[in-house]
């Protein structure tokens, strides 16, 4: 009884039974903080939208004065508009509830009168009011029911969130029920779990300074010695100019909708609906940050951290959750504008070894390079070779800001850009969202926020001094092919090193990683970093094991979602055959009766095809026809639920313009992947380092005879038995189809 907050008896609206309403408080429940969030349906109401535009005009006309900073004017306008929208939402809710409340009040009064006097007239009026209330409830329920049915009818069998949610297995880890403290005790109370997360992220975002970080001299010496990337004067001028209304429009247009807003509650739809009115104030506020004394208000830089569980990890530990920062939309647009500017110059500042988040580069460039280097290393087994994949601990969250800004200055960034980026990192705060409840705010003193459009580019720039130092260190020996020494391939913080002479290279590499980590907070988890043995003898392997705590892979090393093997001929069995088992299990689990065969076709396009296509792109190897036939059988069995097919396979695979249903033709996708390689061979882009490597291994220009080696026999028609292909010498040879 001590948990009982209130109890009441409601009116008899449906039958002769009265509902009893009881409110009980749980000792484990933590009340959710009431945060305002824009109701986007208000922006579709013409009256509300006109009133919103008038409120914006009056506010900016009355408050834009020289004695008030543009930043304060911009931040204050959000409070004013928030109040206006709250008022409009309350008005609409009040009007909707007025009729219902009036009916309930009259019903309760008539019920009391009927109990006292048993008047037939009162009873008839009571029945009439109950009928009106039922009609009101029925209308609301019918509207919600029709909306739900319409959503399932329109989107239930199409590629989208609704179908994806139907396939996703229920994951309790999204609601955190308990945690384990560093001392090993289990914590279940929400207040204690919030304190654990807050202590964890407070320590993560407030790392103590090392001895080398107390003065800028060691950092400047490191950058002067190793960093060679510089902006040209033309590039610098394009970055330094004031932000224009066109750039803001492009940022709004390129930002995806439907994202959760930040603490201020304003979503992207508000900026799209009122762009013409708020654009001048936004530009004045954020362009003004280029002046040294200007800064953003603390509320603007606040963020809500939502916790995403890492797959295949222990979710009772705080460190196994990925912190995603939900920033205010105006700050995200500002970061998006800077990111769009910087993207055009990243390929000139960052070496092609780094493929993560750089325009024109892909992760498949790294895997293709690695496969070719393994093939080259196996030609000289006498020279000991290994692959080292390093695991960086919280790489994005540990970036040391002074090191980042010193790197940007050394690269030639101008004062305006540096001031703009500094404004994003001037005393930001965050609050952790745990099961809907927010923690107290804490300050952030290091790291690039995951969820900010600019963060990946800043991280790539901060990592570039390390990668250039590794490439320029003569004591670190990579796999040399021709005149090029290939040492490292990077995708953001996923580093893959190609090591020869490991007893000399590994001490130099670990020493360089340690020196760089002392300056930038970059930290390698040695026990989770993996080594793949290519041609290391057992005696040398024992010596390396004794000196370095790396984990040695038995048969394959997982990098960017694919398994690299010491023998390239084992790539198919290691990657494609396990995928078949996983897909067969998934299709069995996805055989829900409410998903029609049209929906199952969408499941294949949305969920199955990307996984197959990713392997085909990242592993440019020969895939036998049996693999595609097995997949085709799986598709047919899944679409028709194990029953006899009702349509021919050719009709299912035909394009929609020809009356088909566009079921993926995997052989055509396979051919397209290799045809793309033919195009890339012909263009010879310098961003694709694997093209120069393959040309060196082939011993002739690839563009002159691209189909001579493997690709044209692979992509030939199944009915073709023999092909006439140009040989290396220019003669004609007969190539069997296999």
């Amino acid at each position: 009884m001590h948990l009982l907050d209130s109890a009441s008896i409601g009116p008899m609206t449906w039958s002769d039974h009265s509902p009893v309403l009881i409110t009980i408080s749980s000792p484990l429940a933590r009340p959710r903080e009431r945060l305002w969030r824009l109701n986007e349906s208000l922006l579709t109401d013409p009256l509300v939208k006109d009133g919103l535009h008038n409120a914006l005009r009056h506010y900016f006309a009355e408050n834009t004065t020289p004695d008030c900073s543009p930043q304060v004017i911009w931040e204050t306008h959000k409070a004013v508009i928030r109040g206006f929208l709250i008022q409009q939402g309350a008005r609409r809710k009040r009007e909707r509830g007025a009729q219902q409340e009036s009916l309930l009040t009259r019903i309760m009064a008539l019920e009391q009168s009927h109990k006292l006097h048993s008047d037939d007239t009162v009873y008839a009026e009571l029945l009439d009011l109950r009928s009106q209330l039922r009609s009101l409830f029925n209308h609301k329920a019918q509207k919600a029911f029709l909306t739900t049915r319409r959503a399932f009818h329109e989107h239930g069998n199409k590629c989208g969130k609704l179908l994806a949610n139907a396939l996703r297995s229920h994951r309790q880890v999204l609601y955190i029920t308990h945690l384990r403290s560093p001392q090993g005790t289990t914590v279940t109370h929400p207040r204690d779990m919030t304190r654990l997360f807050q202590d964890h992220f407070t320590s993560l975002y407030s790392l103590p300074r090392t001895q080398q970080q107390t003065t800028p001299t060691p950092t400047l010496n490191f950058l002067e010695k190793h960093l060679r990337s510089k902006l040209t004067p033309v590039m610098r001028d394009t970055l330094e100019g004031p932000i224009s209304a066109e750039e803001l429009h492009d940022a709004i247009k390129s930002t995806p909708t439907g994202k959760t807003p930040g603490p201020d509650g304003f979503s992207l739809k508000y900026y799209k609906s009122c762009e013409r009115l708020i654009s001048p104030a936004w530009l004045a506020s954020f362009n003004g940050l280029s002046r040294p004394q200007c800064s953003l208000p603390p509320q603007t830089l606040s963020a809500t951290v939502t916790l995403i569980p890492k797959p295949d990890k222990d979710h009772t530990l705080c460190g196994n959750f990925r912190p995603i920062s939900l920033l205010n939309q105006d700050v995200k647009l500002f970061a998006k504008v800077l990111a769009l500017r910087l993207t055009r110059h990243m390929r000139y500042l960052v070496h092609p070894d780094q493929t993560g988040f750089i325009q024109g580069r892909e992760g498949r460039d790294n895997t293709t390079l690695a496969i070719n280097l393994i093939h080259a290393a196996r030609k000289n087994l006498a020279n000991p070779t290994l692959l080292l994949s390093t695991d960086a601990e919280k790489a994005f969250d540990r970036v040391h800001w002074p090191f980042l800004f010193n790197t940007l200055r050394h690269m030639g960034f101008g004062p305006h850009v540096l001031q703009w980026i500094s404004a994003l990192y001037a005393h930001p705060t965050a609050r952790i969202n745990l099961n809907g409840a927010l923690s107290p705010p804490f300050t952030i003193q290091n790291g690039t926020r995951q969820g900010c459009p600019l963060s990946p580019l800043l991280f790539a720039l901060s990592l570039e001094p390390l990668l250039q130092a590794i490439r320029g260190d003569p004591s670190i020996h990579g796999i040399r092919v021709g005149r090029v020494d290939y040492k490292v391939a990077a995708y953001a913080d996923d580093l893959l090193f190609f090591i020869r002479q490991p007893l000399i290279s590994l001490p130099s590499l670990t020493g360089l990683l340690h020196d760089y980590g002392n300056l930038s907070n970059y930290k390698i988890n040695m026990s989770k970093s993996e080594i793949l043995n290519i041609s290391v003898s057992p005696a040398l392997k024992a010596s390396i094991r004794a000196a370095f705590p790396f984990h040695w892979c038995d048969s394959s090393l997982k990098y960017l979602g694919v398994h690299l093997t010491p023998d390239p001929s084992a790539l198919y069995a290691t990657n494609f055959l396990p995928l078949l088992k996983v897909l067969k299990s998934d299709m069995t689990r996805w055989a829900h009766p409410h998903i029609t065969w049209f929906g199952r076709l969408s499941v294949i396009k949305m969920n199955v095809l990307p996984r197959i296509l990713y392997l085909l792109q990242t592993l440019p190897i020969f895939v036998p026809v049996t693999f595609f036939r097995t997949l085709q059988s799986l598709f047919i069995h899944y679409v028709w639920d194990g029953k006899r097919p009702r349509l021919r396979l050719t009709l299912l695979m035909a394009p929609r313009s020809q009356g088909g249903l566009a079921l993926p033709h995997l052989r055509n996708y396979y051919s397209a992947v290799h045809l793309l390689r033919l195009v890339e061979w012909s263009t010879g882009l310098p961003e694709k380092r694997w093209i120069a490597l393959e040309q060196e291994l082939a011993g002739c220009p690839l563009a002159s005879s691209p189909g001579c080696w493997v690709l044209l026999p692979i992509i030939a028609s199944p009915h073709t038995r023999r092909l006439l292909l140009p040989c290396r010498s220019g003669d004609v040879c007969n190539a069997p189809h296999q």
Side-chain angles (χ1 to χ4, degrees):
M1 294 297 295
H2 68 282
L3 300 178
L4 185 64
D5 284 349
S6 64
S8 62
I9 299 177
M12 293 182 291
T13 57
W14 295 94
S15 65
D16 58 346
H17 294 78
S18 298
V20 180
L21 309 177
I22 300 176
T23 305
I24 301 176
S25 63
S26 169
L28 296 179
R30 185 178 179 190
R32 296 190 175 189
E33 188 165 344
R34 298 180 64 86
L35 293 178
W36 179 82
R37 180 174 177 176
L38 172 64
N39 181 6
E40 295 184 346
S41 65
L42 292 173
L43 301 179
T44 61
D45 188 334
L47 295 178
V48 175
K49 193 172 182 179
D50 291 342
L52 174 62
H53 289 178
N54 290 331
L56 285 170
R57 293 190 191 96
H58 292 153
Y59 170 81
F60 289 125
E62 296 170 359
N63 293 278
T64 305
T65 57
D67 57 343
C68 191
S69 68
Q71 292 77 27
V72 173
I73 293 174
W74 172 257
E75 187 62 29
T76 309
H77 112 275
K78 292 193 286 187
V80 173
I81 297 305
R82 189 184 301 117
F84 172 80
L85 293 173
I86 290 174
Q87 180 188 33
Q88 296 301 315
R91 178 186 60 80
R92 291 178 60 183
K93 183 178 180 180
R94 192 165 52 248
E95 292 174 354
R96 289 195 304 265
Q99 183 182 4
Q100 177 179 329
E101 188 65 28
S102 174
L103 289 173
L104 288 174
T105 303
R106 294 168 62 188
I107 287 174
M108 293 183 69
L110 290 176
E111 282 180 355
Q112 295 294 331
S113 176
H114 180 65
K115 289 177 182 178
L116 294 175
H117 307 291
S118 299
D119 190 348
D120 293 340
T121 305
V122 173
Y123 184 67
E125 186 178 358
L126 180 62
L127 292 178
D128 181 61
L129 291 178
R130 287 180 178 176
S131 176
Q132 294 181 36
L133 186 62
R134 282 196 297 270
S135 299
L136 179 63
F137 286 158
N138 286 338
H139 177 72
K140 293 172 61 177
Q142 184 183 16
K143 184 177 180 181
F145 181 66
L146 290 177
T147 302
T148 305
R149 288 193 62 184
R150 185 186 67 182
F152 274 92
H153 174 72
E154 293 180 353
H155 306 288
N157 291 319
K158 295 181 180 179
C159 300
K161 290 184 179 180
L162 197 62
L163 185 57
N165 290 334
L167 303 180
R168 186 181 295 118
S169 59
H170 183 64
R171 295 183 296 176
Q172 288 283 26
V173 292
L174 295 179
Y175 187 90
I176 302 173
T177 57
H178 63 283
L179 291 173
R180 205 149 33 105
S181 66
Q183 294 76 24
T185 58
T186 301
V187 176
T188 57
H189 198 283
R191 182 180 62 254
D192 298 331
M193 290 194 296
T194 302
R195 187 181 300 113
L196 275 181
F197 272 117
Q198 185 170 8
D199 293 343
H200 171 77
F201 287 110
T202 300
S203 60
L204 175 62
Y205 290 121
S206 304
L207 295 176
R209 290 194 172 191
T210 63
Q211 185 177 358
Q212 290 86 345
Q213 293 173 351
T214 55
T215 60
T217 304
T219 298
L220 296 177
N221 292 338
F222 185 89
L223 296 175
E224 187 66 31
K225 180 180 179 181
H226 300 293
L227 188 57
R228 298 290 178 265
S229 300
K230 294 283 186 180
L231 284 171
T232 65
V234 176
M235 296 179 187
R236 176 172 170 152
D237 292 341
T238 58
L239 293 173
E240 283 288 284
I243 300 173
S244 64
E246 290 75 14
E247 288 180 299
L248 174 60
H249 176 74
D250 292 340
I252 294 175
K253 188 176 180 180
S254 60
T255 302
T257 58
K259 301 295 183 181
T260 304
D264 64 4
F266 286 95
S267 63
L268 184 68
K269 191 169 184 179
Y270 167 73
Y271 291 86
K272 286 190 173 183
S273 301
C274 308
E275 179 185 350
R276 182 176 55 85
L277 296 172
I278 64 178
S279 177
W282 187 96
L283 293 172
S285 174
F286 287 94
N287 275 327
L289 296 175
S290 58
R291 294 191 291 269
Q293 303 301 325
C294 293
S295 61
L296 291 171
Q299 300 89 340
T300 307
L301 293 176
S302 62
T304 303
V305 175
T306 183
L307 304 171
I308 305 298
K310 296 181 180 179
D312 304 325
K313 298 286 185 179
D314 183 5
H315 297 138
T316 61
L317 299 177
C318 297
N320 292 332
F321 288 84
R322 182 173 288 109
I324 304 299
S325 296
L326 302 178
L327 304 174
N328 291 328
Q329 190 62 56
D330 54 348
V331 175
K332 287 184 69 174
L333 291 175
F334 178 53
K336 184 73 172 181
V337 170
L338 297 181
L340 291 175
R341 282 189 174 189
L342 188 55
T343 297
R344 297 192 291 267
H345 310 299
M346 286 296 293
R347 57 194 299 261
Y348 303 105
L349 296 173
V350 179
H351 193 273
D353 284 341
Q354 172 65 272
T355 60
F357 309 108
I358 310 297
Q359 193 174 34
R361 304 178 189 176
E362 304 171 83
R364 66 184 181 92
D365 298 334
N366 288 2
T367 55
T368 305
L369 181 72
I371 293 171
N372 281 294
L373 288 176
I374 293 174
H375 177 73
R378 289 180 60 83
K379 292 184 176 180
N380 185 10
L381 296 178
N383 197 344
T385 307
L386 57 85
L387 267 62
L388 171 63
S389 175
T390 56
D391 178 80
E393 183 177 322
K394 306 289 185 182
F396 280 78
D397 301 318
R398 296 176 61 92
V399 174
H400 187 50
W401 293 345
F403 181 86
L404 170 63
F405 286 105
N406 283 326
T407 301
L408 297 179
R409 290 190 192 94
H410 191 82
M411 287 182 170
F413 283 80
H416 288 179
V417 177
L418 292 175
Q419 194 67 27
W420 282 330
I421 299 176
S422 299
L424 293 173
Y425 293 93
H427 309 293
T429 60
R431 304 178 73 182
I432 299 170
N433 184 352
L434 177 63
N435 299 335
L438 296 180
S439 71
F442 58 92
T443 59
I444 297 176
Q445 301 178 12
N446 54 261
T448 58
R449 289 179 163 184
Q450 300 185 56
C452 173
L454 189 60
S455 290
L457 304 183
L458 294 180
F459 178 80
L461 293 175
S462 70
L463 192 64
E464 186 62 16
L466 170 65
L467 299 180
Q468 293 196 16
I470 292 171
R471 285 190 292 268
D473 193 334
S475 61
I476 299 177
H477 301 276
I479 300 178
R480 191 169 188 84
V481 179
R483 299 181 178 180
V484 182
D485 204 8
Y486 297 91
K487 297 183 180 181
V488 61
Y491 189 88
D493 61 321
D494 291 325
L495 305 183
L496 183 65
F497 296 97
F498 312 106
I499 302 296
R500 270 187 171 165
Q501 303 183 32
L503 290 181
I504 300 175
S505 301
L506 285 178
S508 300
L509 176 60
T510 53
L512 191 55
L513 290 172
H514 182 266
D515 294 341
Y516 173 77
N518 287 335
L519 300 174
S520 66
N521 288 337
Y522 189 77
K523 185 179 180 181
I524 294 295
N525 194 329
M526 296 290 188
S527 60
K528 293 184 179 180
S529 300
E530 297 181 331
I531 285 181
L532 180 66
N533 183 5
I534 304 298
S535 58
V536 176
S537 64
L540 182 57
K541 179 179 178 180
S543 301
I544 298 174
R545 274 182 176 273
F548 303 97
F550 298 125
H551 172 71
W552 286 74
C553 300
D554 296 329
S555 57
S556 64
L557 182 149
K558 190 174 183 179
Y559 178 69
L560 299 183
V562 301
H563 292 271
L564 302 176
T565 58
D567 185 3
S569 62
L571 287 172
Y572 170 75
T574 308
N575 291 275
F576 286 88
L577 295 184
L579 178 63
L580 282 177
K581 296 181 181 179
V582 173
L583 292 179
K584 186 175 182 180
S585 174
D586 287 345
M587 289 184 183
T588 302
R589 181 166 51 88
W590 294 337
H592 303 299
H594 65 276
I595 300 180
T596 67
W597 64 277
F598 282 100
R600 298 189 181 203
L601 289 171
S602 298
V603 168
I604 293 174
K605 298 174 188 177
M606 180 180 65
N607 200 308
V608 178
L609 177 61
R611 289 193 274 178
I612 300 172
L613 188 57
Y614 180 76
L615 274 189
L616 294 177
Q617 290 175 329
T618 53
L619 296 176
I621 61 175
F622 174 75
V623 179
V625 181
T626 54
F627 174 78
F628 300 105
R629 290 175 179 169
T630 305
L631 278 177
Q632 182 175 302
S633 300
L634 283 176
F635 289 174
I636 295 174
H637 185 273
Y638 175 66
V639 169
W640 302 113
D641 198 16
K643 302 174 183 176
R644 182 178 178 181
R646 294 158 56 186
L647 294 175
R648 297 193 312 274
L649 182 61
T650 54
L651 183 58
L652 286 179
M653 290 186 172
R656 291 185 177 274
S657 59
Q658 300 177 9
L661 293 172
L663 178 69
H665 193 299
L666 295 179
R667 283 284 296 177
N668 288 347
Y669 276 101
Y670 176 57
S671 302
V673 166
H674 288 286
L675 283 172
L676 176 61
R677 286 173 55 80
L678 285 175
V679 174
E680 291 172 336
W681 280 3
S682 302
T683 55
L685 296 174
E687 300 290 308
K688 312 285 185 181
R689 300 199 74 200
W690 58 269
I691 297 179
L693 174 61
E694 289 187 354
Q695 181 165 302
E696 185 67 32
L697 293 175
C700 71
L702 297 175
S704 62
S705 56
C708 167
W709 310 110
V710 178
L711 296 182
L712 282 183
I714 291 176
I715 64 175
S717 168
H719 305 289
T720 305
R721 292 303 175 189
R722 306 188 72 80
L723 295 171
L724 295 180
L725 301 175
C727 288
R728 183 183 304 183
S729 60
D731 299 331
V732 174
C733 66
N734 291 327
H737 177 52
Q738 63 270 23

